[in-house]
Amino acid sequence: MTSDADGRVDLAFTPDRLHLARQAALASGRGIVEVLEEQAGLAPHAFAIALAVTFRHPVATMADLHDWTPAFDVLPFAEALERECLALRDGDGGLVLVIGDPFDMALQAWAEERIAEPFTWRLAHHADVAAWLSRYEESMRAMDGLLPSDDAAAGTASGSEDLSFKSISEDTSQVVRLVHSTVYDALKAGVSDIHLETTPNGLAIKYRIDGVLSTVGALAGLDLAEQVISRIKIMSELDIAEQRIPQDGRFKVSMRGHEVDFRVSVMPSILGEDAVLRILDKQALSDQIKGLRLDYLGFDAQAIDQLRLLSGEAYGMLLVTGPTGSGKTTTLYAAISEINHGLDKIITIEDPVEYQLPGVLQIPVNEKKGLTFARGLRSILRHDPDKIMVGEIRDPETAQIAVQSALTGHLVFTTVHANNVFDVIGRFIHMGVDPYSFVSAMNGIMAQRLVRVTCPHCAVEDHPDAKLLADSGISPERAQGMVFRVGRGCGQCRGTGFKGRRAIGEILRLNDEIREAIIARQPLRVIRDAAARNGTRFLRDIALDMVARGETTLQEVNRVTLIA
């Protein structure tokens, strides 16, 4: 078997190659397909073609799997998941059985016996089959939660809900099973937020993955929607009788031996109530942050150098801004981790404490007990700190104390919600902070976004149309030098075309010219021009550089940055 530079396969696998793969698989206890792919060293699509040629089966691509219709009436999802095969109907209505392991003779014999309707075989890459099943599992598990069962599940001794397949299937309440199965599946899929939205017909279930919402299920019946929201309220210790005002709460679940925290926001709507559950898996985050450095977040070299200079200052303030979920806290923790050598007293106050860092005093805000950011920050200043992190500046009092802390010899790390580095200036002045104190305290401001990265395993060349280029502010001349690439969807990226996210940030380092412009209340244009002369690169330009290198798509950049 050979392949050309583009990964096209000229020949099938030889019997000798298959024999060697079988022997290696037996010796290692792994699957033959996995061993053969490792030995062949081919790209996933090329490997699937070679395997299809060898076994004389047509190939099914990830695009085919998404275009065809699931035939769960022929092969229920539970059996498809167990057997790792797919029954689909193509564009002509014909039944297609897709497999990823042609060496599994038992599967093929079972399919011939199990499926009465005539069908044709198709071969897909085994990771594509797994990805298709995984995506459907998100919605199917929630639907399975409505099936009847007999026994009740118990919570853990710590008061958190116990989540496992066994506990979910054994619960007698269909609403409890639905909520638990949704939460379980969201944790399994790496979701950041669960959205439960009341619709005119019932309830829509959505997940936010990599910053993007996707609908994973819909349930009919307004009564059921109300019961689901009530169940969330009970778990969060909220008032189930109150449906006219917003409510905020928290609950915990226990899964795979550790506890996961959820922050809950319930909001009234014209149709009933909606709920958003933010997932805070502290243990997973702590595992990720061990050894975390700014290099790992995806910033370009210039941004990393500037952040390290700002976080290494003796005193002053480093402020990170951006929308919710843009990675502000992770950036601050990466910066603190790099300077945490045990020689300084580092104290943080957060709501909540998302990561746990060794050698750092971390204080959670507890507004019910009167521990606010402002009150906690005052107490921190009496605790002899060298460096302070304030999770978020939300009110004038906290802003004033943070600025005064930076002016009295402390290095302060903090965040605030704003769209860009220049909006931060207006936010602080609007909160009553004296402009002279603000510019004296501030060392630098960074505005941050997370951009999804095109999947390297399925990326292909793309040619955006002229309208998209024009709407994105890109001239035909500039487009000539750009490499446009888009992910077509594969098993590695769960069919989304994106795999992972990278942080980008525009950094404003304050010099005398910028400080004087702010104190004089100069127009924003003047401050922007001064920042550009001082080396500030703006978010839009950094993101378009990623597009030019083929690292992300133009549509993704337009989603996360403002078109000037």
Side-chain angles (χ1 to χ4, degrees), residues 192-193 208 210-211 278 322-328 417 449-450 501:
S192 64
D193 301 85
R208 187 179 295 279
D210 284 342
R278 160 131 323 168
T324 301
S326 59
K328 301 186 296 294
H417 285 288
R449 297 292 188 277
L450 293 178
R501 291 189 290 178

Side-chain angles (χ1 to χ4, degrees), residues 340-400:
N340 183 16
H341 305 302
L343 303 177
D344 295 314
K345 181 75 170 184
I346 303 176
I347 306 178
T348 75
I349 179 164
E350 306 164 67
D351 183 24
V353 175
E354 297 187 11
Y355 305 145
Q356 297 175 7
L357 285 177
V360 176
L361 173 57
Q362 296 173 273
I363 304 169
V365 165
N366 189 339
E367 298 200 4
K368 290 183 179 179
K369 300 295 184 181
L371 179 55
T372 61
F373 275 113
R375 184 174 179 181
L377 188 50
R378 282 199 200 91
S379 299
I380 286 173
L381 293 175
R382 295 192 291 270
H383 210 70
D384 190 30
D386 297 295
K387 295 175 174 60
I388 303 168
M389 175 181 152
V390 183
E392 182 183 347
I393 291 180
R394 300 174 179 171
D395 55 78
E397 189 178 7
T398 307
Q400 294 280 4

